[in-house]
Amino acid sequence: MLSKKSKYAIKALVALAKHSKHGEPMRIVEISEQEKIPKKFLEAILLDLRKHGILGSKMGINGGYYLVKKPEQIFLTEIIRLTDGPIAMIPCASLNFYEKCDDCEDETVCGLRKVMTELRTASLAVLSANSIADIIKKETKLINSKNRK
Amino acid sequence: MLSKKSKYAIKALVALAKHSKHGEPMRIVEISEQEKIPKKFLEAILLDLRKHGILGSKMGINGGYYLVKKPEQIFLTEIIRLTDGPIAMIPCASLNFYEKCDDCEDETVCGLRKVMTELRTASLAVLSANSIADIIKKETKLINSKNRK
DNA sequence: CCGATAATCTATAAAGTCTATAGATTATCT
DNA sequence: AGATAATCTATAGACTTTATAGATTATCGG
């Protein structure tokens, strides 16, 4: 399961992407209220995203957070790996967070690892195909098809 | 990520499937030592699997656990749902463990949910295509291709 | 340069989950 | 009856999640 942290991070980035057509920073409180994310928790999340170069911030009046990268270039893989860690379901099947199982004699011959590697490949295909911009696109698409009814 | 509980459950079932050609029950200690799973933890896991009708048990001398279902009919989806819960990454995208997001106004219009539903479909495709028997098959296949080198 | 605003940093903590461990009890077989 | 092995109950340390409180620092308008 995705942690709330990851989910909130994605939602905040979507909110920022929608807002940043204006180019100006968005306040934590605004994001918090709009997306119903606990303010102080969101604070920590945004700080994290800033430290990793996805967001920038400005203090004082008219301050807030803004996107550094374009919504088209922020993929779900990046956010999830940053906030939750590995995409794979077991460490020995992970690309970026590989770890050896201490209960496994020879992983090159492990059937479970083989299946979990297949799963990781499938998951990565979906997550690396979707950026923040794609999420917004899907949203407008869903709204349109709903209104047509 | 998969919990250790799930991982141990799958490994134990694989061990039992390999053993149960003989049809006779396998002792907790044997599984524990063979698969390097902490004994008492394994105990709780096997009890769970028994309560859900996947395993049977027999007390006393020559006792132990045995498979009730055939290895071909025990799929990873079943085990993971039983020990870890949902396959989906967020509850609102789950088939068996659906829950509404309390921060979401209208989920039918949520872009993140849409992506996570795609991911769930992809994950389910892999996990429901693999049974305990399949894991064993993959293992022998891996061993064979290794020996041919 | 002052005062208001808003991000930043540090510390802490409640709740829940994961990963077990210990010990007593009950059923089975010889 | 006695040995074996599963079963049940209770508990607990470590870690993660999900925050909350409060002090500090930077920015801007006037």
Side-chain angles (χ1 to χ4, degrees), chain A residues 27-28 43 50 57-60 64-65:
Chain A
R27 287 182 304 140
I28 292 180
E43 193 184 307
R50 203 211 53 168
S57 70
K58 201 181 158 190
M59 281 183 162
Y65 282 93

Side-chain angles (χ1 to χ4, degrees), chain A residues 126 129-130 132-145, chain B residues 108-112 114-115 118:
Chain A
V126 175
N130 282 284
I132 294 296
D134 291 313
I135 291 182
I136 296 174
K137 264 185 224 160
K138 290 190 177 175
E139 229 146 70
T140 53
K141 211 171 170 182
L142 285 169
I143 292 170
N144 286 339
S145 72
Chain B
T108 66
V109 140
C110 175
L112 181 57
K114 178 87 174 137
V115 174
E118 290 170 20

Side-chain angles (χ1 to χ4, degrees), chain B residues 27-28 43 50 57 59-60 65:
Chain B
R27 287 183 304 140
I28 293 181
E43 193 184 306
R50 202 211 53 166
S57 69
M59 282 184 160
Y65 281 94

Side-chain angles (χ1 to χ4, degrees), chain B residues 8-9 24 33 38 50-51 57 63 86 99 106 110 112 120 125:
Chain B
Y8 289 161
E24 48 193 30
E33 284 174 356
R50 202 211 53 166
K51 280 177 187 164
S57 69
E99 261 176 68
D106 181 3
C110 175
L112 181 57
R120 183 210 62 202

Side-chain angles (χ1 to χ4, degrees), chain A residues 48-105:
Chain A
D48 245 33
L49 293 173
R50 203 211 53 168
K51 279 177 187 163
H52 283 87
I54 296 173
L55 295 181
S57 70
K58 201 181 158 190
M59 281 183 162
I61 291 175
N62 298 324
Y65 282 93
Y66 52 88
L67 292 177
V68 168
K69 303 177 78 170
K70 286 180 190 166
E72 290 80 18
Q73 290 166 344
I74 308 173
F75 290 94
L76 291 189
T77 43
E78 184 179 1
I79 310 163
I80 293 176
R81 279 183 176 136
L82 191 147
T83 48
D84 271 8
I87 306 286
M89 293 204 84
I90 41 179
C92 68
S94 171
L95 285 172
N96 289 257
F97 297 85
Y98 170 82
E99 259 176 69
K100 200 185 167 303
C101 297
D102 32 284
D103 53 320
C104 196
E105 297 279 299

Side-chain angles (χ1 to χ4, degrees), chain B residues 27 74 96 110 115 146-147:
Chain B
R27 287 183 304 140
I74 308 171
N96 289 258
C110 175
V115 174
K146 196 178 186 184
N147 289 342

Side-chain angles (χ1 to χ4, degrees), chain A residues 5-20:
Chain A
K5 194 174 174 181
S6 276
K7 188 187 160 194
Y8 289 162
I10 295 167
K11 288 188 71 177
L13 289 170
V14 169
L16 278 163
K18 283 179 187 167
H19 181 266
S20 72

